[in-house]
Amino acid sequence: MHWLIGDLQGCDGALGRLLDQIGYSPSRDRIWLLGDLVSRGPDSLATLRRAAAQGFDAVLGNHDLHLLAVAAGVRKAKKSEHLDALLQAPDRDELLGWLRQRPLVAEAEGWLLVHAGLLPPWRAADALGHSAEVQALLADPQALQDFWPQMYGNHPDRWEPSLQGVDRLRLIINTCTRLRFVHADGRMDFELKDGADTAPPGLMPWFEHPERQSLGQPIAFGHWSTLGLMNRPDLLALDTGCVWGGCLSAARIDGGRREIVQVRCEQVQKLGA
């Protein structure tokens, strides 16, 4: 069985309960985590240890990349991110090395998996190709160390095939790990974080853009807790706000069968924190 699981944010206790709920068997089930495995929740260390030891698959989210930048010494972790235990663990290098090998975009059972979203001009093959570019960066220690301080920023905010270097990599990462809304002309917006129905005129959820080239391709994503569970034939949104006191959600996607399983989560962070 193939299961997709939404944003964990270090909530390992909820993950354990969810795995019990679906009757997880390592010999039978394949688990895909849709990014943001760490941060904000109480036990990012246990979450990463479980994911690596069990051989789970995962795509990278913005909090996962932030952890790697913090570990590289180019960013500082906030107290609310609860990363100290992980960063001080004796097996931290092995765990961070496992995380660094994860892609931004992956395929499973005909589904495209990404933490946040895709830009309107991108088809599935484009997204996988752009993900491979970032994976090559993550595998190059020197290039990666030079890149970390330049990863943060909101520009460029619109895809151009001619983009090169840091600008190209930053845009790919922002798209796959931070995107929620786009303008009609395809520009990304990083200010609005509320639900899909809150967008002002000219702004829309990335998956509602009328010229989206990935339309019809089944896509599963997380990242957008205010969107909540979305269970459409070709769209699955699985960040249901576990760390905020919502649910942790899993979706079974194999064999043409769709099954949603959820467990309630204790509130670890206050909304707006």
Side-chain angles (χ1 to χ4, degrees):
M1 299 180 188
H2 283 69
W3 291 92
L4 313 179
I5 297 178
D7 298 34
L8 294 168
Q9 296 253 338
C11 295
D12 184 66
L15 175 58
R17 295 195 303 275
L18 183 62
L19 294 173
D20 289 343
Q21 188 71 22
I22 67 175
Y24 170 68
S25 168
S27 63
R28 180 196 64 207
D29 298 319
R30 186 172 182 181
I31 302 292
W32 275 97
L33 307 174
L34 295 180
D36 279 3
L37 282 63
V38 300
S39 188
R40 288 184 172 145
D43 209 336
S44 292
L45 175 58
T47 302
L48 271 194
R49 280 176 172 168
R50 186 196 295 267
Q54 294 287 353
F56 292 172
D57 292 303
V59 294
L60 292 171
N62 50 306
H63 284 282
D64 307 316
L65 288 169
H66 178 65
L67 166 65
L68 294 173
V70 169
V74 299
R75 298 290 285 193
K76 290 185 177 181
K78 299 177 182 178
K79 186 176 181 180
S80 62
E81 292 172 327
H82 300 151
L83 295 176
D84 286 351
L86 196 165
L87 293 169
Q88 296 167 12
D91 54 345
R92 91 167 220 165
D93 289 344
E94 291 82 0
L95 295 172
L96 296 178
W98 177 87
L99 192 63
R100 212 164 36 242
Q101 295 174 45
R102 304 308 105 193
L104 291 178
V105 183
E107 286 183 297
E109 295 293 294
W111 284 79
L112 200 68
L113 315 181
V114 64
H115 178 60
L118 305 184
L119 285 174
W122 291 7
R123 299 181 186 273
D126 299 321
L128 290 165
H130 300 328
S131 173
E133 295 178 52
V134 176
Q135 276 193 280
L137 170 70
L138 292 172
D140 185 334
Q142 184 55 58
L144 188 58
Q145 193 66 25
D146 294 340
F147 175 75
W148 285 133
Q150 305 177 80
M151 179 177 71
Y152 296 87
N154 295 340
H155 295 279
D157 60 2
R158 182 175 178 178
W159 174 248
E160 295 290 347
S162 60
L163 284 171
Q164 299 293 325
V166 169
D167 282 349
R168 182 181 178 94
L169 292 166
R170 186 189 303 118
L171 181 139
I172 292 170
I173 288 171
N174 281 342
T175 300
C176 296
T177 67
R178 298 178 60 205
L179 183 63
R180 292 185 181 92
F181 290 96
V182 293
H183 294 268
D185 64 2
R187 288 178 296 117
M188 292 184 281
D189 175 86
F190 296 114
E191 299 300 322
L192 189 60
K193 298 181 180 180
D194 295 329
D197 59 352
T198 63
L203 205 61
M204 65 204 77
W206 65 267
F207 48 83
E208 298 289 1
H209 195 283
E211 298 177 8
R212 179 164 69 91
Q213 296 301 298
S214 59
L215 186 66
Q217 164 66 52
I219 300 174
F221 61 100
H223 183 59
W224 200 342
S225 62
T226 52
L227 183 65
L229 178 67
M230 177 183 290
N231 185 12
R232 298 184 185 177
D234 62 350
L235 280 175
L236 271 170
L238 290 175
D239 180 3
T240 45
C242 179
V243 76
W244 311 112
C247 294
L248 184 62
S249 299
R252 181 183 170 187
I253 57 167
D254 57 309
R257 177 177 177 179
R258 181 79 58 84
E259 180 182 357
I260 304 292
V261 177
Q262 296 181 307
V263 296
R264 296 295 306 180
C265 301
E266 60 275 11
Q267 185 172 357
V268 179
Q269 293 276 347
K270 294 181 179 180
L271 292 173

